[in-house]
Amino acid sequence: MAKTSTKLIANNKKAYHDYFILDTYEAGIALHGTEVKSLRMGKCSVKESFIRVENGEVFIYGMHISPYEKGNIFNKDPLRPRKLLLHKAEINKMIGKTKEKGMAIVPLKVYFKGSLVKVEIGLARGKKLYDKRNDIAKKDQQREAQRDFKIRNLG
């Protein structure tokens, strides 16, 4: 079986800072017109986007795909809601989990898997301010330890 190549288009680093990611799903995305060409050029942002489940279907809001330069009338609204393609069992599991307090569905990254555009979404619980501070302190300690290690090995 041949391995499918993946190419990252957009990454949501802020989601990892604001949430504990408990579970991840890979979803397809319904695109129209010249949106795939814009994605091939890397013109996408998921920083301010969010995901909602409506009438048993999953939609991503606020995902910005820049209009294709040569697309003229075939370009769509860059911020339009887009349908995510998931199995019914996955959607039902997400609905059950998001009814718990503090749970949300957040987009983590957009990438090409072969020739298909995929969105990795995460079932997440929001972090408190002290959790964010602890994460920053841990990263600072790791950075300091790596710096000390490099200095000891150079000298």
Side-chain angles (χ1 to χ4, degrees):
M1 183 179 238
K3 187 178 177 203
T4 309
S5 64
T6 60
K7 179 187 172 208
L8 185 66
I9 302 168
N11 198 1
N12 189 359
K13 291 180 183 177
K14 190 173 190 238
Y16 292 98
H17 178 71
D18 291 341
Y19 298 97
F20 292 113
I21 308 299
L22 305 175
D23 203 2
T24 59
Y25 299 92
E26 181 180 76
I29 184 167
L31 299 170
H32 298 288
T34 57
E35 290 177 326
V36 175
K37 290 184 180 186
S38 290
L39 289 173
R40 287 199 188 285
M41 296 173 68
K43 308 268 182 153
C44 178
S45 173
V46 289
K47 254 182 217 172
E48 301 296 323
S49 58
F50 59 96
I51 295 172
R52 279 197 190 141
V53 180
E54 298 170 353
N55 300 325
E57 295 181 330
V58 182
F59 292 91
I60 185 167
Y61 291 88
M63 178 178 167
H64 187 275
I65 298 177
S66 297
Y68 184 58
E69 298 149 7
K70 301 172 185 151
N72 59 42
I73 62 169
F74 299 108
N75 284 331
K76 301 288 182 183
D77 177 23
L79 291 172
R80 74 179 180 81
R82 293 170 177 89
K83 184 177 176 181
L84 296 181
L85 310 172
L86 290 156
H87 292 281
K88 199 64 162 173
E90 292 174 325
I91 295 171
N92 291 335
K93 183 178 177 184
M94 278 188 233
I95 291 170
K97 290 287 187 177
T98 54
K99 289 184 180 175
E100 296 175 24
K101 187 176 180 183
M103 297 295 284
I105 307 169
V106 294
L108 301 174
K109 59 184 168 183
V110 180
Y111 55 94
F112 278 104
K113 187 172 184 180
S115 62
L116 302 174
V117 179
K118 299 287 183 175
V119 179
E120 183 177 288
I121 59 177
L123 199 55
R125 175 171 278 122
K127 287 184 181 179
K128 304 278 188 219
L129 187 58
Y130 59 82
D131 292 325
K132 293 177 187 179
R133 285 189 198 126
N134 287 340
D135 286 351
I136 291 170
K138 284 180 188 175
K139 285 181 186 176
D140 287 345
Q141 287 175 345
Q142 287 175 343
R143 227 179 275 123
E144 195 66 36
Q146 286 176 344
R147 211 176 286 134
D148 290 346
F149 182 74
K150 281 183 181 179
I151 290 171
R152 270 189 259 129
N153 285 341
L154 290 177

